[in-house]
Amino acid sequence: MAKKTTSKNETTKEVAEKNKKRDIWDKLIDMDRRKATKFIIGGMIIAIIFGTIALISDSLANNAYDWEYYKLHENDLGYWRGEYGYQEFLERDREIYAQADWLRFQEAIFENLARIGVNFGLIFVMVGFIGYSADEDMDPKKRQLSFLLAALVITVVMFSALSTGITISVG
Amino acid sequence: MKNLKSKKNLTIFLTIGILFLILAPIVGEMTETILIDNEEDELVDQESQVSFHNVDTYNVSIKENQKITIKFSVYAQNVTASLKIFGKGLFDSEYNKNDTFGPLNVSGRYFLISRPTWSGDPSWYGYTETVVSCVQDDFYYIEFMGDGAPGNTIWNEPGEYVIFVYGSNSFNMSKEVIYNIEIYIDGPSDVIRSVFSSIGWVMLIVAGLVIINNSIKSIRSE
């Protein structure tokens, strides 16, 4: 990068300070191995936390019907036991339907938020691998592998952003 | 020292948070209904079926989406006690007119009677009436929200209402009508549940933020 020279309005000190400030891309490429590892670990933790949120949200939505049937039956029992009257029974019935609807719908909100979080974490991981691949002290094969892994991570991020998601089935 | 203080704060936040989350449904359930009147072996003269001036009255105020629950029963012999609910306006005008057998003849508002029976669906055993008459060992579970329609529908009409009881005694030597009544009104359970659970979650989130803050500090100090 060509160094800036003094103009009429800039003092020598100001120019020196500007030259000191490197842009973000330079910083990323020049990151050391330790920093790259931190990025990968941090990114993985973020991705795992948001991934867990997505799994919980999905599980709640999938089990909403079972929960609804259980609560409705429990409501019947409450009325039959004489704990409350028919109007209260109806009110509780309606509330159960609304809560079950919310349990099914919350997936749309929390899974999308979680997807953003996972992608954010994966971008950190990708930057970490790019950091490895840009490290000239590293074994060239490991650098190539790191670059491939960074490419794989960004492919996953793009797929999960542009399609409904990637499913891995174990069985 | 600072670390100890932070741990103490964390424990306080976590404890209060979990405590409030546990208490939310318990306190909510406890305040589901509030007892506003409980009369056992209450006496009303049998003249009450002739004149509005002799009936036993209970004033209630119904707010938006609120209902009252009445448990009405008679244990005494020879007694027939009846319960009706009027709007306060109608009751005041009937009280002033004081027509003979007014309490017996003027129609009240619809309320819902529940008869929980294990042998059938709940919807088969809830029905509306404008009057209930209790004889010996009868018990009625009544819900009222302002008004209703024949069948099993009541709805909310906020306002002032008067529950009144009149009756007769078939025994020649007695004019006393003895009955029991309990009146409950919907409590602030929903608000209490929301407030308690909100405080609980806020405390847990604060505790989570303290944990994150402490972790960042410890990583930086290494």
Side-chain angles (χ1 to χ4, degrees), chain A residues 3-65:
Chain A
K3 291 202 170 185
K4 286 187 177 175
T5 50
T6 50
S7 67
K8 278 180 187 174
N9 300 326
E10 287 175 323
T11 62
T12 318
K13 203 179 172 185
E14 280 170 350
V15 174
E17 269 179 14
K18 273 188 183 173
N19 284 334
K20 240 183 194 179
K21 284 181 190 166
R22 295 180 305 150
D23 68 25
I24 191 168
W25 305 111
D26 289 331
K27 276 184 187 173
L28 287 176
I29 292 166
D30 293 344
M31 78 166 69
D32 58 13
R33 208 177 296 176
R34 190 176 158 79
K35 203 169 185 181
T37 312
K38 272 187 184 175
F39 263 73
I40 291 172
I41 293 170
M44 278 180 169
I45 290 171
I46 293 171
I48 288 168
I49 290 170
F50 280 97
T52 311
I53 291 171
L55 286 174
I56 293 169
S57 168
D58 187 50
S59 170
L60 284 173
N62 288 339
N63 289 297
Y65 281 108

Side-chain angles (χ1 to χ4, degrees), chain A residues 34 38 75-92 95, chain B residues 29 32 67 112 114-118 120-123 125-126 141 143 145 152 154 186:
Chain A
R34 190 176 158 79
K38 272 187 184 175
N75 194 28
D76 285 351
L77 293 176
Y79 174 75
W80 284 326
R81 287 188 193 118
E83 287 167 13
Y84 39 80
Y86 183 59
Q87 183 66 23
E88 181 66 29
F89 163 81
L90 290 177
E91 286 174 20
R92 288 180 187 224
E95 279 167 16
Chain B
E29 198 63 39
E32 194 76 52
K67 70 174 178 303
L112 189 72
S114 295
R115 285 209 166 138
T117 310
W118 287 84
D121 190 90
S123 61
Y125 299 100
Y141 191 107
E143 285 165 296
M145 291 182 88
N152 57 8
I154 55 168
D186 279 356

